[in-house]
């Protein structure tokens, strides 16, 4: 059967001019809606002199104050909503490790639009109604479960809502149901392969897997390539966050060079996290998003704390929706060690270049003799040869490359494959024992 390359041709083929015209219209509608429906935004916008009548161009967006995670916490649970609760049909909440969690409300229309965005992403990378989609995310408050579920159903695939964990059962579903598309976080994709090897399952021979949506946590290009080689699939980076619904915000196209962010849903800004001034396309900064297609709880200029950049230039796929680069991490993931700012992804990028290493690692930071010290435990892969001097040479080379990248010298320790703790949700990569909560 021949299909269109687009799920929403009218939106996916808009030119830059058309995108911007639509954004301005939707921004103005959203502002009116927030101003009239949300006491929180009415006050904010009045105080800033940014009432809807004052916003007449996309540049005027900068007059609107930022919304922060703290605002969501301060108004917990429903204080930013722009519609009465009786109009809402679902909420999602993020697990707050400190303070109140954050809550996002959705109307039936919001859920419909969210499902549409996810379906658009999956269609873009070749998913079609003939496919069998298996979701390995937890169903519940984590948006990767229900978000992908409704998106995949909207597209029309046969869905297997396997949910998180129980890896043997996941593998049985792959083989029994002929799963072709999987959604998994990167750490779990690697785990699936490990268990396949233990059970003598060859993904290329014994399954029909071909497409993997991986996201929810930062991962390097080498990690992606490894996962693709292991499972014999194409793996596409999927970006989202609960505050913006969940998955479906930005997704790689088949070019695998940056994630198209759906600009009929979001206005993107990249700002310097210190000055909060916009940075030019191509430069890294904090991602700030304004929802322009949401009813229950639109967020204006939301500071995501995620660090990324806009990839300049146009994409060969023809879609003119901007592309976000791979996330560098969140500003709050940054480790400050001996005055140096380090992102875990910098360490992962080095580690994953060594075929002798498996995918799992754990960074521990502690105080030793009044000094900050970093230890990296990393699992060895199967291909390692049991030879002490080769092991020492490997350790030396990894340490040297890490030092070049992060400017400090960590202690690298090799541990047997499978020995680091595995989590069912997002992988825990950093243990900072210096913190005293
Ligand atoms: P949550 O709201 O719990 O779904 O977490 C959202 C956060 O997960 C984002 O703000 C990012 O920090 C992170 N995240 C989601 N998708 C990706 C991705 N593809 N790459 C890197 N980080 C991601
Ligand atoms: Zn593209």
């Amino acid at each position: 059967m021949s299909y269109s390359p687009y799920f929403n041709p009218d939106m996916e083929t808009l030119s830059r001019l058309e995108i911007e015209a639509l954004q301005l219209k939707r921004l103005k509608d959203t502002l009116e809606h927030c101003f009239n429906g949300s006491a929180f935004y009415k006050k904010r916008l009045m105080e800033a002199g940014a009432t809807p009548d004052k916003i007449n161009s996309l540049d005027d967006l900068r007059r609107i104050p930022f919304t922060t995670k703290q605002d969501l916490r301060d108004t917990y649970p429903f204080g930013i909503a722009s519609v009465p609760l009786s109009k809402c049909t679902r909420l999602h909440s993020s697990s707050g490790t400190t303070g109140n969690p954050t809550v996002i409300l959705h109307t039936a229309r919001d859920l419909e639009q969210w499902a549409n965005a996810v379906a658009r992403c999956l269609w873009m990378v070749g998913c079609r109604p003939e496919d069998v989609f298996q979701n390995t995310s937890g169903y519940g408050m984590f948006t990767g479960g229900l978000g992908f579920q409704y998106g995949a159903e909207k597209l029309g695939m046969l869905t297997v809502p396997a949910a998180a964990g129980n890896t043997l059962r996941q593998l049985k579903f792959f083989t029994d149901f002929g799963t072709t598309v999987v959604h998994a976080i990167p750490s779990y994709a690697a785990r699936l392969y490990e268990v396949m090897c233990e059970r003598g399952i060859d993904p290329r021979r014994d399954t029909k897997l071909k497409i993997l949506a991986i996201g929810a946590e930062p991962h390097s290009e080498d990690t992606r390539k490894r996962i693709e080689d292991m499972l014999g699939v194409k793996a596409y980076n999927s970006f989202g966050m609960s505050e913006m619904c969940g998955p479906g915000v930005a997704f790689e196209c088949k070019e695998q060079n940056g994630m198209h962010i759906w600009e009929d849903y979001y206005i993107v800004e990249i700002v310097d996290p210190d000055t909060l001034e916009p940075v030019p396309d191509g430069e890294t900064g904090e991602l700030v998003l304004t929802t322009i297609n949401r009813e229950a709880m639109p967020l204006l200029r939301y500071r995501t704390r995620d660090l990324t950049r806009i990839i300049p230039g146009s994409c060969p796929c023809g879609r003119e929706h901007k592309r976000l680069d791979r996330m560098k991490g969140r500003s709050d993931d940054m480790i400050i060690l001996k005055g140096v700012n380090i992102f875990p992804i910098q360490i992962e990028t080095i580690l994953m270049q060594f075929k002798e290493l498996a995918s799992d690692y754990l960074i521990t930071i502690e105080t030793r003799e009044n000094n900050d010290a970093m230890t990296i435990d990393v699992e060895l892969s199967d291909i390692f040869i049991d030879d002490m001097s080769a092991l020492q040479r490997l350790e030396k080379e990894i340490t040297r490359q890490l030092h070049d990248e992060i400017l400090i010298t960590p202690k690298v320790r090799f541990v047997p494959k499978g020995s680091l703790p595995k989590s069912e949700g997002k992988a825990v990569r950093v243990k900072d024992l210096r913190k005293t909560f």
Side-chain angles (χ1 to χ4, degrees):
M1 182 149 179
S2 87
Y3 290 107
S4 156
Y6 305 106
F7 188 70
N8 294 143
D10 47 341
M11 290 295 150
E12 289 176 71
T13 59
L14 292 176
S15 67
R16 284 302 320 157
L17 274 179
E18 288 165 333
I19 289 174
E20 283 164 22
L22 179 69
Q23 285 189 319
L24 180 58
K25 181 183 175 305
R26 290 194 173 177
L27 173 64
K28 287 171 75 72
D29 291 349
T30 298
L31 279 176
E32 285 285 350
H33 178 64
C34 292
F35 193 79
N36 296 322
S38 158
F40 169 88
Y41 272 129
K42 183 170 201 149
K43 183 161 177 279
R44 268 283 162 92
L45 295 174
M46 298 237 303
E47 278 167 7
T51 46
D53 55 306
K54 301 268 172 38
I55 307 298
N56 294 307
S57 72
L58 287 180
D59 282 343
D60 287 343
L61 181 69
R62 291 180 56 194
R63 303 173 67 159
I64 299 171
F66 292 101
T67 307
T68 63
K69 198 166 192 110
Q70 193 57 44
D71 290 325
L72 295 182
R73 292 205 171 113
D74 293 346
T75 55
Y76 175 83
F78 307 135
I80 293 189
S82 290
V83 300
L85 275 189
S86 58
K87 288 216 166 152
C88 300
T89 51
R90 198 195 304 160
L91 67 75
H92 278 279
S93 142
S94 75
S95 57
T97 38
T98 50
N100 276 335
T102 54
V103 167
I104 299 294
L105 290 161
H106 302 275
T107 62
R109 181 186 182 278
D110 292 335
L111 295 177
E112 172 67 23
Q113 290 301 311
W114 178 15
N116 183 72
V118 173
R120 192 193 282 182
C121 295
L122 291 169
W123 188 278
M124 177 165 67
V125 296
C127 301
R128 296 293 180 267
E130 291 72 23
D131 280 303
V132 179
F133 174 86
Q134 186 166 326
N135 192 3
T136 68
S137 278
Y139 282 62
M141 290 303 196
F142 176 53
T143 55
L146 290 174
F148 267 100
Q149 180 63 32
Y150 285 109
E153 282 179 14
K154 176 134 194 120
L155 192 152
M157 290 186 281
L158 171 61
T159 59
V160 184
N166 204 336
T167 307
L168 287 179
R169 199 177 61 145
Q170 303 276 3
L171 301 186
K172 184 166 167 51
F173 289 168
F174 286 173
T175 47
D176 292 1
F177 303 148
T179 302
T180 54
V181 184
V182 176
H183 169 239
I185 56 177
S187 44
Y188 193 61
R191 176 82 191 132
L192 284 168
Y193 179 68
E194 258 173 42
V195 180
M196 281 186 190
C197 292
E198 283 164 24
R199 300 278 148 167
I201 299 173
D202 174 349
R204 290 178 174 78
R205 185 194 60 206
D206 304 323
T207 76
K208 294 186 177 156
L209 299 181
K210 58 175 189 189
I211 295 173
L212 183 72
I214 42 168
E217 59 187 16
H219 55 286
S220 67
E221 187 59 40
D222 281 292
T223 300
R224 180 240 292 278
K225 290 210 184 89
R226 272 179 178 230
I227 293 173
E228 289 190 325
D229 287 349
M230 289 192 250
L231 295 174
V233 295
K234 282 273 173 204
Y236 297 98
N237 196 356
S238 156
F239 173 77
M241 66 178 65
S242 327
E243 297 94 313
M244 297 294 132
C245 285
V249 177
F251 209 89
E252 277 179 336
C253 64
K254 286 187 174 172
E255 300 295 325
Q256 294 186 307
N257 182 21
M259 300 174 283
H260 287 287
I261 174 152
W262 301 123
E263 291 185 85
D264 51 325
Y265 283 66
Y266 305 101
I267 300 182
V268 195
E269 296 171 87
I270 307 281
V271 303
D272 178 319
D274 297 322
T275 63
L276 300 180
E277 289 298 316
V279 303
D281 280 6
E283 274 182 33
T284 299
E286 179 177 341
L287 176 68
V288 171
L289 294 175
T290 299
T291 67
I292 49 170
N293 191 22
R294 209 153 74 174
E295 214 171 38
M297 200 166 156
L299 293 177
L300 305 177
R301 302 194 82 202
Y302 183 69
R303 288 189 59 185
T304 66
R305 305 199 220 178
D306 286 314
L307 300 171
T308 184
R309 66 183 191 114
I310 288 179
I311 299 182
S314 54
C315 183
C317 83
R319 290 175 184 81
E320 296 200 18
H321 294 255
K322 286 181 181 163
R323 286 170 301 162
L324 300 181
D325 202 353
R326 204 168 268 294
M327 298 290 138
K328 199 173 159 196
R330 297 183 79 121
S331 47
D332 30 2
D333 288 340
M334 191 171 75
I335 306 165
I336 304 181
L337 198 88
K338 299 182 178 171
V340 182
N341 299 346
I342 301 164
F343 286 95
I345 197 73
Q346 291 175 276
I347 294 173
E348 177 175 317
T349 303
I350 302 286
L351 297 179
M352 290 307 120
Q353 282 163 17
F354 289 88
K355 298 273 173 280
E356 297 89 340
L357 303 180
S359 310
D360 269 325
Y361 64 94
L362 178 68
I363 304 165
T364 307
I365 300 154
E366 58 203 324
T367 313
R368 263 190 249 132
E369 293 160 6
N370 291 327
N371 259 320
D372 288 348
M374 178 188 281
T375 306
I376 302 172
D377 290 304
V378 56
E379 291 186 3
L380 288 169
S381 72
D382 296 325
I383 64 163
F384 186 71
I385 314 134
D386 194 9
D387 168 346
M388 273 316 273
S389 65
L391 201 62
Q392 278 164 359
R393 277 201 305 279
L394 179 66
E395 184 199 313
K396 230 171 137 183
E397 180 55 19
I398 295 172
T399 310
R400 187 188 67 74
Q401 289 202 23
L402 283 168
H403 178 268
D404 286 352
E405 173 66 27
I406 60 178
L407 308 177
I408 64 142
T409 308
K411 169 141 192 54
V412 175
R413 286 195 307 216
F414 299 130
V415 298
K417 192 161 179 196
S419 62
L420 288 174
K422 312 280 176 249
S423 74
E424 274 193 4
K426 302 191 187 200
V428 179
R429 300 295 194 197
V430 183
K431 251 186 7 193
D432 193 342
L433 304 176
R434 297 172 304 175
K435 288 180 185 160
T436 45
F437 285 116

